[in-house]
Amino acid sequence: MDQRRQKSDADVRRRDLEFEGNDWVYLKILLIKGVMRFCKKGKFSPQYVGPYQILRCIDKVAYELDFPSELASVHPVFQVSMLKKYV
């Protein structure tokens, strides 16, 4: 009984996202204390950066993004949970 209730609660919050090549998306920033990523730092930095174009779909949940040259050191493959559709 408890598992069913937990599953139904989780399913309400889950969102199935699928993107195609050439779609534009925002990338979610993980705030790690003391670490500067994507030229943003601090409590008031934005949650998402971008938009970036999707180059290809690697898997149902993994996408490769087209980063500018200044972000060449960042790995370009991200899970779908880290992406938000650009409107």
Side-chain angles (χ1 to χ4, degrees):
M1 179 80 167
D2 195 39
Q3 273 185 333
R4 270 188 272 147
R5 189 178 73 229
Q6 288 177 350
K7 182 182 179 336
S8 67
D9 289 345
D11 287 344
V12 168
R13 291 186 301 273
R14 182 172 292 128
R15 50 190 179 126
D16 294 327
L17 293 176
E18 288 189 22
F19 301 105
E20 297 178 7
N22 298 327
D23 281 353
W24 290 81
V25 293
Y26 288 111
L27 178 62
K28 185 171 187 170
I29 298 175
L30 294 175
L31 296 177
I32 301 172
K33 190 173 185 178
V35 176
M36 185 171 154
R37 297 191 185 272
F38 297 100
C39 304
K40 309 286 184 190
K41 184 176 180 177
K43 182 176 173 182
F44 299 110
S45 65
Q47 285 187 324
Y48 292 92
V49 293
Y52 301 110
Q53 189 173 19
I54 293 178
L55 290 178
R56 66 186 176 110
C57 173
I58 295 175
D59 194 2
K60 187 176 180 181
V61 295
Y63 293 91
E64 182 178 0
L65 302 181
D66 183 23
F67 282 143
S69 59
E70 61 264 11
L71 295 177
S73 63
V74 179
H75 194 273
V77 178
F78 292 92
Q79 188 177 19
V80 70
S81 64
M82 301 290 292
L83 305 175
K84 180 179 178 182
K85 184 93 173 172
Y86 174 71
V87 181

